Structures are given as structure tokens and as C-alpha cells.
Amino acid sequence: MQEQTTTAAPRELSRDELLDIYRQMWEIRFFEDKVYDLLGQNIIKGASHLYAGQEAVASGAIAALRDDDLITSTHRGHGHCLARGDCLAPDPVAKQEHLNKMMAELCGRSTGYCRGRGGSMHIADVEKGNLGATGIVGGNIPVATGAGLSMQMQGLDRIVLCFFGDGATNTGNFHESLNMASAWRLPVVYVVENNLYGMSVPFQKISAMPDIAARAAAYDIPGVVVDGMDPVAVFEAVSAAVERARRGEGPTLIECKTYRWYGHSRSDPRKYRTKEEEQGWRDRDPVRVFARRLLEMDIATQEELDAVEECAVHAIEAATAFALESPMPDPAEVEEDVYVVSPPTPAEVEAERRLRERVRTDPSIPKKRYWEAVRDAMREEMLRDPRVFVMGEDVGLYGGAYGATRGLFDEFGRERVMDTPISEALIGGAAVGAAMTGMRPVAEIMYVDFTPLAMDQIANQGAKNRYMFGGKTAVPMVIRTEGGAGRSIAAHHSQSLEALWTHFPGIYVVMPATPYDAKGLLKAAIRNDNPVMFIEHKMLYGVEGPVPEEDYVVPLGVADVKREGSDVTIVSYSRMVLRALEAAEELAKQGISAEVVDLRSLKPLDLETVVASVRKTGRIVGVTEAYKTGSYLSELFTLVNEAAFDWLDAPMVRVTALDVPVPMSETLEDAAIPSVERIVKAAAGLCR
């Protein structure tokens, strides 16, 4: 195991700081005991994972931070939240208010830190640097790594303290994050609280190495084992790691050997532990052992220690009373703060409509290829806003999978165009952490087929954080990816998975069909304060089209009628818009007037334009390159049915890819996805 080195010994804690740690530890203990009791009475609902027994880790580690440093927490995170908020509270009144908000949150009350939306496993105070707890084991590690990247990029000497349990060290998130943090020397201190069990599984049964800290050697960073029952030992180890990170020397992995008093959750019978083992650890109770130490050091008298304990009891009782007297959230607020809502104004929509008409009619507007439009959008936004940066696999010198970042590395350098490891979960999570802490990442995941590898980070962290944390944060990030068939590269690189992403509240989904739309929509996505999944099509990169030279955006959630018609509506997005337009030409030869509506944004959706077209034509054909079962068209048609059923003169018809993995052979691939002929047949059949 690599030992941590430092040029100076950690500073000594003052008497007041030691007593603060002692008080925090008692407050954590009594808080958790009270939560256990309230769970048993069914007053606190759901799951709570109690921190009792591990108090020394949170209190000792957080004492080593500055007020402007950041933390990320875990599903067993009450101790982290309590210690961090307590350290930042300027006076006893503020400290009590902090406890009140914590207990209210666990009780699901509107006065809680997250307005009752996060509860025990998702408590956060983002405004004060607590980036939140997560119910996903290891889910916070990439987020912390991204926050560290953000601090580095902004030239700040703030560090990120990332807590997680021993179970998280067997996830890919752990290894992906430590690898990149080490390579880029990010200011992150990773603190693993090894309480010996991942749920009910002993760590020794799932790891050949007894010390998690030994894994640090694989990433050439310090790995330190510390007694997690001793707050001073934890403080000293974390202090040294924090100072190392501030000097720009990169991350440290600290393993705190500790023990949880309760089971994994309240319902856990703990049959996998012996009474003797539990008693052995209780004999090392960190709160009581620390009290004896303070007495032996003449830091405090027994009377003073008793007074601290008594005050902690009263503080938790007061917090409990506050929580139980607080109102439940108003059901009318249930849909608030899923998104940062900033819809385009009517003037902005009208201005873009006029620009769009000029683009279609003015032959003097220069043409650009789709990939150039995407690149120019990123370039212009990077010039406009220094917070915008590009990261992903192979985005640097080689310009990404299809060249859309070509030239950006030469202009902006590795500081803002970053080639990451092949670690999709890390890319997604790092984007989340960077976005939550002041940056605006544009993260590329090479193929949409690979985005499920990052689904936890993008959907569970990025898309949900704003709502779970009570609307008190924003996650302004773009995930650029590409999908679709056409290059004979088979089922792992040719899918259309947009329906997966439209399912999650909190994330927008955009799929442009033309160079004009690609540039304007990407610029709008980068400026948006929500996560945006921006899906390009691999067969569109070489398509040319007029692109204005002036600065413009295409508002999200505004569809485009690409062709006027009166007999049938063909609604689509991405490459299938071009096939729909070809089909409309063929239908015109048969005397059928087809209106082609390009959704452009799937979320937010411009249903009004679709319904207006259906009311005019009475018929609708939907076209998508996605599989038929569960495709986005199924949701769209449900909405159309609800809004325009009385105007429909015929059944709604879907033209989709077949329900087969996309084949490699060209003839099979062509047969599997919608063709112009299939679109024509569907539309003509409706009109007859």
C-alpha cells in the first residue's frame, strides 16, 4: 500500500474544535436513535440507513474542510449532512435550524432541506456545498470527480470530499473515477467507510484484499488506512489529503475502518453478525472513547461533557418536534421544479420562424454540412461562455467519432476539449458534478447504444437531482451522442434509443434533422439549464444545408412544418424527416398532399403543432427508426388521441423499425428500418 506523504504535519485541533466534534458525534448518535424510533412508529416512511457507530468518520473528516469545500454523500449520509451543515452554521440558532431541516426532510415535510422530496437517501444542501446523497451505491463517486474537475477548471483551490461505503468499491464507478482523477490530478479526497458489510455480505468474502486502500496503488495515488472510530485520526488523515489536493498533487483514497450499530436498514435482522462481534465494536464506541480521551487530555471536565450530551438530546428533541409540527407538502406542488422552466417567448418563437423561412427561400445563405453545423455551435458557445467545455472519448485531435469536434482542440486546447477514458458512466457522472458546480459541460458519448452504460449517472443523478433536492440546484449539461442505422455496423452501434431517454423526468431530448436545426438546437441546448440528451444521426453528418452566419438559436420545444399539406400528416424527427419529405414527393405524384412535421425536440414536445396539423388533415402517419415496441411514437400517438380524437378520420399508423436487433448486412439493415416506400404505402393507404 502506498503511504501518504505531506510536507507539514496536520494542524492541531483547538479545544473548541474538539468539543464541537464531540457535540456533533452525540447529535448524530441521538439523531439516528430517534430516526430508528420514528421508523418503528411508521412516522418516518420508506427506508433509512442509519449512521450510528460511524460518527467519528463524518465529524473528523468534515472538520478538515474549509467552508467553501464540497462534499458528496451516500444513502447512509445523515452523519455527513449533519456535520457539514453544523460546521457552516454561524451560531447556535442556525445549528438548530439545520437539525430541524434535516429531521423535517426525513419526515417528508415541506420545511425539510429538499421540501420532502428527497428524504433520507437523497438529502442535500447544494447551496452550501453538500452536493447530495444518493440511493445508488457508488452513484456519487463520478459526480464528486466531476465537481473536482470543475474546481480545477475554474482555477479554484476548493476540494471535494467524497464519502462512500465499502460496497461501492466493487462498482465500475469507483474504478473509473479514481483512474481519471489520478490521471488529471483532480482535487478529490475519496473516503471509504468500511463498516465490514455490504448489506449482509462480509467484505472479506468478496475481496481478496483486506484493505480497500491498497487498491490506490493501481492508480498511483496514496492509499491510507485509518481507525474510523477515532475522529482525530480521521481528521489528521483527511487534513493531509486535503492539503495535498490543494497543492495540485491530486486525489487520495482514505479507508476508515468502522462499524454500523444498526443493520443495513431498520428491517435488517443482522443474523450475519454475531453478538460477540457487535459487542466488541460497541466496546470501542467512538463517542464514549472520545469522551474518555477528552477527560484524560484535560480538554473538558465530566460536567462539561455531560452538559454537551444533554444539549445534544435537547437539540434532537427540538428538531423532532419541529418536524412533526411542520406541514406536509402541498399536493399541488408535486410537478414543480422537475425542470428549470424557461420557455421561449412568443417573440423568440416568431423570430426563429421568420429566420427559418428566410433560410428556405434565400439562396445566398451559405451551406454547411451537418457535422460542421454541430462543430460551429460548440465553438460559438465556447467563445461566448467560458464555462462551456467539451469532454468525451476521442473528442480531441481526432474530432470525435464522426468529426464533429474537429478543430476545437487546436483552438481551445486540452483545458477545454478533454479526451476522457473509455468510461461512459464516468463521463455522464462527471458532467453532472461539473454542471452542479458552475460549469456547462458538453459531454460526448460516442454512440447512443452506449448511453445505457451511463444511465444511472445521467438519469438517476443528472435528471433527478433538481427535483429530489427541492428545486435548489440546476444541472446544465448536454450529452451529445449519435444513433441510427445505415453503416452496416450492426446491433451494438446502430440503434435508436431515444424512447429510453424520453421516459425520465428531468431531461430533455433533442433530435435535429438538418444542419440549420442542428446548430440552432445545440446552441439552445448548451444555454439551457437542464440536462439535454442531444442525439445526432450518423447518416446526416455529410448532409448539406443552408446555415445562417449570424448568431441564432432554435428554441427547444418548437416543431417545424417542413412541408405544408392537406390530406395526411407525416410526423417524424432526425433522419426519417428526410425520408418523409421524399415520401411526400412520391405521394404528390399520386395526388395526395402530405404535410411533414419535424418534431425537432421530443422533450419538450410541441404537441400543439402536431395537433393543428391533424385537425387540418384528419390523418397521421408517424415515422421512426426506433423499434416498434415501446417507440416514442406510441407515446406521441397517445397524446394525439387524447387531444385530437374527434378530428381523426382514420386510424393512426406507425412506420417503424422492425423488432429485431439492427442487422449488419446491408440488405437486412435496409429491410429492418423504414423506407420511403413503406412511408408512401402507409400514407396512401390512409387516404384511400
Side-chain angles (χ1 to χ4, degrees):
M1 184 193 317
Q2 186 174 351
E3 291 299 325
Q4 184 173 2
T5 58
T6 182
T7 56
R11 68 176 180 84
E12 290 190 5
L13 291 162
S14 68
R15 177 182 185 276
D16 287 345
E17 287 174 316
L18 290 168
L19 289 176
D20 273 344
I21 288 173
Y22 182 64
R23 175 182 50 79
Q24 285 177 14
M25 292 170 69
W26 268 128
E27 287 178 351
I28 295 170
R29 175 68 56 81
F30 291 139
F31 187 94
E32 298 297 67
D33 289 345
K34 178 60 70 173
V35 171
Y36 184 86
D37 178 53
L38 295 175
L39 283 165
Q41 298 180 55
N42 204 31
I43 293 174
I44 291 181
K45 311 286 185 179
S48 283
H49 304 83
L50 302 179
Y51 195 74
Q54 301 179 204
E55 296 88 355
V57 180
S59 296
I62 288 172
L65 300 183
R66 283 192 332 217
D67 286 355
D68 61 344
D69 289 329
L70 307 170
I71 72 165
T72 66
S73 185
T74 74
H75 62 282
R76 196 180 309 283
H78 307 160
H80 312 140
C81 183
L82 192 151
R84 186 55 178 157
D86 181 80
C87 287
L88 295 177
D91 54 57
V93 173
K95 292 178 187 296
Q96 184 63 56
E97 289 175 349
H98 165 59
L99 292 173
N100 293 351
K101 291 179 181 179
M102 282 191 63
M103 189 63 80
E105 183 60 35
L106 268 67
C107 291
R109 307 305 168 111
S110 62
T111 53
Y113 265 119
C114 305
R115 299 164 59 195
R117 297 177 178 185
S120 171
M121 291 187 286
H122 314 108
I123 198 165
D125 187 9
V126 177
E127 296 165 323
K128 293 185 178 178
N130 179 352
L131 301 185
T134 174
I136 309 295
V137 171
N140 65 321
I141 308 178
V143 174
T145 305
L149 173 62
S150 174
M151 297 302 101
Q152 185 185 77
M153 293 185 70
Q154 295 178 63
L156 303 173
D157 69 345
R158 300 163 67 185
I159 66 95
V160 184
L161 191 60
C162 176
F163 292 102
F164 49 94
D166 51 279
T169 64
N170 293 315
T171 68
N173 285 339
F174 170 81
H175 297 282
E176 291 181 19
S177 297
L178 266 66
N179 178 61
M180 192 175 83
S182 170
W184 292 1
R185 294 182 178 271
L186 299 182
V188 187
V189 177
Y190 298 100
V191 177
V192 52
E193 298 179 275
N194 186 354
N195 60 27
L196 310 188
Y197 295 93
M199 295 187 70
S200 64
V201 179
F203 184 77
Q204 62 184 5
K205 288 190 176 181
I206 46 84
S207 174
M209 301 179 72
D211 293 331
I212 294 169
R215 299 183 182 189
Y219 307 108
D220 194 29
I221 63 174
V224 179
V225 176
V226 65
D227 181 2
M229 308 301 272
D230 179 352
V232 175
V234 173
F235 168 81
E236 291 175 348
V238 173
S239 293
V242 163
E243 292 310 309
R244 180 176 183 275
R246 288 203 211 283
R247 294 195 300 270
E249 296 175 21
T252 299
L253 175 63
I254 298 174
E255 178 184 3
C256 298
K257 304 279 193 181
T258 184
Y259 200 75
R260 51 173 160 83
W261 270 200
Y262 296 105
H264 173 68
S265 58
R266 193 186 192 284
S267 60
D268 180 1
R270 311 199 304 273
K271 292 183 178 179
Y272 48 88
R273 305 194 320 199
T274 66
K275 297 295 184 183
E276 292 75 18
E277 176 186 293
E278 291 186 346
Q279 186 58 51
W281 282 94
R282 284 185 177 273
D283 290 342
R284 298 185 58 214
D285 184 324
V287 187
R288 300 190 184 282
V289 170
F290 191 51
R292 291 198 294 270
R293 183 173 177 182
L294 294 177
L295 284 172
E296 292 166 0
M297 295 170 62
D298 291 327
I299 297 295
T301 65
Q302 186 63 56
E303 290 74 17
E304 289 172 322
L305 296 180
D306 291 343
V308 169
E309 182 178 348
E310 185 177 352
C311 286
V313 172
H314 291 319
I316 301 308
E317 290 299 331
T320 305
F322 172 85
L324 298 183
E325 292 168 4
S326 294
M328 300 295 286
D330 185 346
E333 300 174 353
V334 68
E335 293 183 298
E336 290 181 359
D337 294 318
V338 178
Y339 300 93
V340 180
V341 180
S342 53
T345 65
E348 290 169 335
V349 173
E350 176 60 21
E352 192 273 325
R353 187 197 64 78
R354 290 197 303 268
L355 176 61
R356 195 190 324 151
E357 290 302 315
R358 182 164 68 85
V359 166
R360 288 174 180 163
T361 57
D362 186 350
S364 68
I365 294 177
K367 291 187 175 182
K368 289 198 172 184
R369 287 172 289 182
Y370 189 101
W371 76 263
E372 293 173 311
V374 170
R375 177 204 60 195
D376 290 351
M378 288 185 282
R379 177 180 182 273
E380 290 175 16
E381 291 306 300
M382 292 174 78
L383 290 170
R384 187 186 69 85
D385 188 343
R387 298 173 298 172
V388 178
F389 71 99
V390 173
M391 63 185 292
E393 300 163 7
D394 210 27
V395 297
L397 290 174
Y398 294 98
Y402 290 88
T405 58
R406 195 176 307 162
L408 296 181
F409 182 85
D410 292 337
E411 182 170 0
F412 296 99
R414 69 180 71 252
E415 292 78 15
R416 293 181 69 191
V417 182
M418 302 176 177
D419 283 321
T420 66
I422 301 176
S423 304
E424 284 81 9
L426 170 65
I427 294 169
V432 173
M436 290 179 71
T437 54
M439 301 299 288
R440 304 187 81 90
V442 181
E444 179 177 318
I445 293 179
M446 199 172 286
Y447 291 90
V448 75
D449 312 73
F450 304 164
T451 60
L453 295 168
M455 187 168 284
D456 167 46
Q457 292 298 310
I458 300 170
N460 282 328
Q461 316 299 337
K464 296 176 183 174
N465 277 2
R466 175 173 175 78
Y467 186 83
M468 287 197 312
F469 298 162
K472 299 177 182 178
T473 188
V475 190
M477 70 181 197
V478 176
I479 302 293
R480 277 190 56 246
T481 188
E482 62 80 28
R487 290 191 59 238
S488 296
I489 50 179
H492 288 173
H493 294 75
S494 305
Q495 297 175 97
S496 296
L497 301 181
E498 60 274 6
L500 294 178
W501 293 103
T502 60
H503 183 68
F504 294 105
I507 187 169
Y508 288 151
V509 180
V510 179
M511 296 187 71
T514 67
Y516 164 81
D517 288 334
K519 182 177 181 181
L521 286 167
L522 183 52
K523 287 169 71 70
I526 293 171
R527 298 181 190 185
N528 198 273
D529 286 330
N530 299 288
V532 180
M533 180 65 66
F534 195 90
I535 306 175
E536 300 150 18
H537 196 292
K538 61 174 60 68
M539 299 306 292
L540 292 178
Y541 286 113
V543 170
E544 283 193 340
V547 179
E549 294 183 311
E550 68 260 35
D551 180 45
Y552 73 95
V553 297
V554 174
L556 304 186
V558 179
D560 178 23
V561 178
K562 289 283 197 283
R563 178 184 176 119
E564 300 277 353
S566 57
D567 295 327
V568 61
T569 297
I570 304 176
V571 61
S572 191
Y573 50 89
S574 194
R575 179 170 68 140
M576 288 295 110
V577 169
L578 305 189
R579 292 201 172 175
L581 289 169
E582 290 183 57
E585 290 288 339
E586 294 298 319
L587 289 164
K589 297 174 184 177
Q590 302 179 28
I592 298 172
S593 174
E595 181 153 294
V596 178
V597 178
D598 178 5
L599 296 179
R600 302 200 289 188
S601 298
L602 309 191
K603 279 175 64 182
L605 171 67
D606 182 1
L607 183 62
E608 183 179 343
T609 295
V610 178
V611 168
S613 180
V614 170
R615 287 177 175 176
K616 178 168 60 171
T617 67
R619 302 171 182 85
I620 183 170
V621 174
V623 186
T624 179
E625 205 168 313
Y627 307 124
K628 184 174 185 178
T629 301
S631 75
Y632 180 74
L633 287 183
S634 300
E635 173 65 20
L636 176 65
F637 279 9
T638 298
L639 296 172
V640 171
N641 181 69
E642 292 170 350
F645 178 78
D646 291 341
W647 281 268
L648 288 168
D649 297 327
M652 296 179 282
V653 174
R654 292 174 292 168
V655 181
T656 72
L658 304 181
D659 280 334
V660 299
V662 182
M664 174 269 171
S665 176
E666 187 175 6
T667 55
L668 294 176
E669 183 180 47
D670 288 343
I673 63 174
S675 64
V676 172
E677 292 74 22
R678 283 175 59 193
I679 301 170
V680 169
K681 182 179 179 181
L686 281 183
C687 293
R688 294 192 188 102

